[in-house]
Amino acid sequence: MSGEKSQGLTFKMPRLGVNIDHVATLREARKGIEPEPVMAALLAQASGADSIVVHLREDRRHIKDSDVFNLRNILHTRLNLEMSAADEIVDIACKVVPDQATLVPEKRQELTTEGGLDVANNFNKLNKAIKKLKDHNIEVSLFIDPDKKQISAAKKIGASMIEIHTGRFADATSKNEEDKYFKEIKLSTVFARKIGLSVNAGHGLNYHNVSRIAKITGIEELNIGHSIICRSVFVGLGRAVEEMKALI
């Protein structure tokens, strides 16, 4: 895998985390047994996914508890469990013991995660969840906006990793707006790495915009779901994952 040098260090191009939530969304449209998220995870893994991402939401609208336990038992690649800091979900995570837990904000009425965690103003609640997860040897990442205040709070609270929310970049309606949000992500990546955090990124990334984010030195993994699952309808999941890997 190619890499680039910065300040004497060599950074590899980002890994790809494939979110399979929307395979479960399709299953739940009929409340049936197919398509099977575990099968999707195995196909993605075989096609080059570096990690599998699932969000166990409090309302269980797509991924179920059994999906998470089954994935933990069958995957050879990393399992990244997106989750709220709710006690019930933290307890489940501690039983599953994923390779990584990514704490995200969660609202019942939202279609998808709408923004990053406000770490600075929810310090005590998040600190309790992070401590419990770390006590079970689970690496903790925080999904946050590209904001120095939130990045500093993530470091202070004891996270080893952040995932920068790329939604505003992805939703930009002009080149100037896209450039503005790209700069925010780039500067936030530099700052986070400078204070010792590993950096991932994701949300809204697709086959048209991912290459630009992938070129930011220091981002270690891009987590992408919706676009890959949409593409798979036409070309198959394996090829959809391979095409995304090629772009990054």
Side-chain angles (χ1 to χ4, degrees), residues 38 54-56 63-73 79 81 92-93 96 98:
V38 171
V54 289
H55 184 171
L56 184 65
I63 294 295
K64 308 298 186 187
D65 301 36
S66 59
D67 295 323
V68 181
F69 282 98
N70 288 337
L71 288 166
R72 174 71 288 176
N73 290 332
L79 176 61
L81 179 62
I92 292 170
V96 174

Side-chain angles (χ1 to χ4, degrees), residues 20 23 35-43 66-67 70-71 74-75:
I20 60 168
V23 175
E36 173 53 61
V38 171
M39 180 60 73
L42 291 174
L43 283 168
S66 59
D67 295 323
N70 288 337
L71 288 166
I74 203 168
L75 285 178

Side-chain angles (χ1 to χ4, degrees), residues 159-178:
S160 59
M161 179 188 303
I162 61 170
E163 180 176 343
I164 294 177
H165 184 280
T166 55
R168 288 185 294 186
F169 165 83
D171 294 337
T173 57
S174 69
K175 183 63 165 60
N176 286 340
E177 192 177 44
E178 181 183 300

Side-chain angles (χ1 to χ4, degrees), residues 80-205:
N80 177 3
L81 179 62
E82 292 185 343
M83 53 183 283
S84 75
D87 291 342
E88 176 207 7
I89 303 297
V90 172
D91 287 344
I92 292 170
C94 290
K95 293 176 183 176
V96 174
V97 192
D99 299 284
Q100 176 183 325
T102 300
L103 295 179
V104 303
E106 188 174 306
K107 299 175 184 176
R108 289 296 177 104
Q109 66 273 23
E110 67 187 358
L111 290 176
T112 184
T113 307
E114 295 175 346
L117 276 172
D118 186 352
V119 184
N121 290 319
N122 292 279
F123 201 89
N124 291 336
K125 180 180 180 180
L126 291 172
N127 185 55
K128 177 185 174 184
I130 290 169
K131 185 178 185 303
K132 188 166 185 177
L133 292 166
K134 291 174 72 174
D135 285 346
H136 285 78
N137 297 314
I138 301 169
E139 188 172 27
V140 178
S141 177
L142 302 181
F143 184 70
I144 58 176
D145 290 324
D147 175 88
K148 282 189 175 181
K149 178 183 177 182
Q150 299 299 337
I151 295 170
S152 296
K155 176 66 175 179
K156 182 178 179 181
I157 207 169
S160 59
M161 179 188 303
I162 61 170
E163 180 176 343
I164 294 177
H165 184 280
T166 55
R168 288 185 294 186
F169 165 83
D171 294 337
T173 57
S174 69
K175 183 63 165 60
N176 286 340
E177 192 177 44
E178 181 183 300
D179 288 346
K180 173 187 174 183
Y181 294 132
F182 175 81
K183 185 177 181 180
E184 284 183 356
I185 295 166
K186 187 173 183 179
L187 292 176
S188 294
T189 300
V190 171
F191 177 71
R193 290 193 62 93
K194 185 177 180 180
I195 64 174
L197 291 169
S198 296
V199 181
N200 299 333
H203 199 82
L205 297 179

